[in-house]
Amino acid sequence: MEKQFLYDIIEDHAPSIIALSDQIWELSELSMEEYRSAEYYCQLLEQEGFQVQRQLCGIPTAFSGQFGSGSPRIGILGEFDALSGLSQQAGSTQRQCVTEGGNGQGCGHNLLGAGAFGAALAIKKALEAGKLQGTVIFYGCPGEEGCAGKTFMARDGMFRDLDAALTWHPGDTNEIKVGASAACIQVEYSFQGLAAHAANDPYNGRSALDAVELMHVGVQFLREHMPPNSSIHYSITDGGGVSPNVVQAGAKTIFMVRGETVRKAKALLKRVDNIAKGAALMTDTQVTSRQLDGTASTVGNQVLEQVMYENLNQAPIPVYTEAERTYAHALRQTFQPELPGELTKTNPSVRRFVLRETENGQRDINDFIMPYVPCWDYSPGSTDVGDVSWLTPTAQFTTATWVSGSPGHSWQNVSIGRTSIAHKGMLQAAKILAGTAWDLMTNPALLAKAKEEFAVSAAEGYDCPIGPEVIPGPQQ
């Protein structure tokens, strides 16, 4: 098989791909603060002969590595940011922090970026060998966890010149991602009042904390009147201090508003804005808002999904040792995935979980391929891959780098993320990405068909969820 050339390249470079993943796991830098991680990638790309561009779109940790010339132009999307509070000892089956309050790769982005890099490297070697023609571009996309780096890149026109964009994500199944995810807009509300002694003269104070709490109450009442497939989440980032005998003069809260489309999310956000204004009126305080980021809904492409599924079946599935299976079984005992009966009837993701549980004997590692069923399936979560999907045909998949049913953003994912189980799933993903790119670069008719579908599905055009005034950067 011709694609064996790609597989061999990935296996030959497996030590350096794994070292890259483990280094990013070790650094575990937060969104838009991945300075060392980004530079590590850039240096590695330069060593491998890619033309590197740093600080894309004015973002210090966004970069690209390009090789080749002409069409087709295939983009490979990589991520590398971590999550706060998830520091965890690698390979442990108990909650063991390495650094108290430290960060951890709870979403597996160390694997995501390294696997994508491995695929880009294999395609580059195929271009050098004359087996392929065109251009491969590895995109270092920062800040997926709450800062939406790809959205800022998309707003500035990046990805529009691609013929297709490919990516993957660590998961607990070998599966093609289908359907759409939610659009999301994140806004910080700052209330300003007047400080006063809470006992002696509270009547002279104007409590910003009261305003925040009233805003939260108002949003709770709004939930009954939201459109289907909408959701709202929040956090209080500044309660005004720790002294209860002070009328708090300043307080801040962040709201995350999701909807089926950017237009619906923006409409719901207007109602949240009005609630904030009402809370300020009730407390005689002032409120200002600042949008932090946003993501668009995803546009699926069944042509690309089918090609990915064929490559998912072609690439070898990892073989696990007895020690790996013993570890996976012990890790899986640290959580209890309860599945209420009625929920399984309506929730597609839960139905898929039930499928793999009932048909595969309570496996600790899902070492099989989930069937591909082209359909419209709505995920309540959000991803900035959605913004890319409005600019070029885009597809993504998961491989089993985690144990079956593992909770998202969990210490369990951090623990397994630097083990041989995760490394095997990552190398498998690199082969699937590289194989998909091979098919697109050797079959112009296939790529043309994907573009035809994209022209229809994305005909209404990209509605960017962030305006020019929104500045990329850490939220705090």
Side-chain angles (χ1 to χ4, degrees), residues 167-206:
T167 192
W168 76 291
H169 201 288
D172 68 337
T173 57
N174 301 299
E175 184 175 11
I176 302 300
K177 300 284 286 183
V178 298
S181 62
C184 180
I185 300 174
Q186 194 167 202
V187 177
E188 177 188 69
Y189 296 89
S190 300
F191 290 88
Q192 191 63 42
L194 291 173
H197 194 290
N200 287 344
D201 61 341
Y203 43 83
N204 286 326
R206 299 293 182 267

Side-chain angles (χ1 to χ4, degrees), residues 124-420:
K124 183 252 185 186
K125 297 290 185 183
L127 288 166
E128 281 184 317
K131 295 180 178 294
L132 295 174
Q133 291 184 339
T135 306
V136 61
I137 308 170
F138 174 86
Y139 289 96
C141 305
E144 194 277 338
E145 298 291 357
C147 293
K150 297 184 198 68
T151 306
F152 290 97
M153 297 163 76
R155 180 190 66 181
D156 291 354
M158 195 141 294
F159 313 118
R160 284 189 182 277
D161 63 344
L162 295 177
D163 291 290
L166 309 174
T167 192
W168 76 291
H169 201 288
D172 68 337
T173 57
N174 301 299
E175 184 175 11
I176 302 300
K177 300 284 286 183
V178 298
S181 62
C184 180
I185 300 174
Q186 194 167 202
V187 177
E188 177 188 69
Y189 296 89
S190 300
F191 290 88
Q192 191 63 42
L194 291 173
H197 194 290
N200 287 344
D201 61 341
Y203 43 83
N204 286 326
R206 299 293 182 267
S207 175
L209 181 57
D210 285 356
V212 164
E213 292 190 291
L214 283 167
M215 179 182 180
H216 284 218
V217 171
V219 171
Q220 305 314 324
F221 281 100
L222 173 63
R223 294 183 188 280
E224 179 185 358
H225 309 286
M226 298 191 311
N229 294 327
S230 299
S231 60
I232 299 178
H233 325 282
Y234 59 85
S235 65
I236 298 176
T237 57
D238 181 1
V242 297
S243 299
N245 64 333
V246 175
V247 175
Q248 311 294 358
K252 296 180 181 179
T253 183
I254 292 177
F255 274 84
M256 181 180 287
V257 178
R258 301 186 201 257
E260 288 183 336
T261 64
V262 171
R263 178 178 57 81
K264 291 182 179 180
K266 287 179 177 178
L268 183 57
L269 178 64
K270 287 183 179 179
R271 301 192 69 180
V272 175
D273 288 341
N274 286 335
I275 291 172
K277 294 173 185 176
L281 283 172
M282 285 188 285
T283 54
D284 198 16
T285 60
Q286 302 296 316
V287 63
T288 58
S289 63
R290 175 174 69 99
Q291 184 177 352
L292 301 175
D293 59 48
T295 62
S297 57
T298 50
V299 179
N301 191 288
Q302 294 182 5
V303 173
L304 291 186
E305 291 168 3
Q306 183 62 53
V307 178
M308 269 190 172
Y309 182 64
E310 292 169 1
N311 280 276
L312 184 59
N313 281 277
Q314 291 170 6
I317 293 180
V319 177
Y320 302 100
T321 66
E322 189 62 33
E324 289 169 337
R325 292 187 180 277
T326 299
Y327 164 74
H329 180 76
L331 187 64
R332 195 160 180 259
Q333 302 313 301
T334 62
F335 57 86
Q336 296 295 323
E338 298 292 338
L339 296 176
E342 288 301 313
L343 183 61
T344 65
K345 297 178 183 179
T346 58
N347 190 312
S349 62
V350 174
R351 286 204 303 272
R352 287 194 292 271
F353 182 89
V354 172
L355 172 67
R356 61 179 180 259
E357 290 296 292
T358 57
E359 292 190 359
N360 296 278
Q362 297 286 327
R363 298 191 185 191
D364 296 308
I365 307 175
N366 291 313
D367 53 352
F368 60 95
I369 297 171
M370 292 289 288
Y372 169 59
V373 181
C375 65
W376 188 92
D377 187 6
Y378 180 76
S379 167
S382 305
T383 172
D384 56 7
V385 174
D387 295 85
V388 181
S389 73
W390 282 95
L391 302 180
T392 189
T394 304
Q396 54 186 324
F397 64 95
T398 62
T399 62
T401 61
W402 305 331
V403 296
S404 179
S406 185
H409 292 189
S410 65
W411 69 262
Q412 289 92 343
N413 295 347
V414 183
S415 178
I416 200 173
R418 197 174 178 177
T419 68
S420 55

Side-chain angles (χ1 to χ4, degrees), residues 88-109:
Q88 169 65 29
Q89 185 71 42
S92 174
T93 56
Q94 297 180 3
R95 183 70 169 103
Q96 294 179 311
C97 293
V98 176
T99 303
E100 190 66 33
N103 309 326
Q105 289 286 349
C107 207
H109 291 178

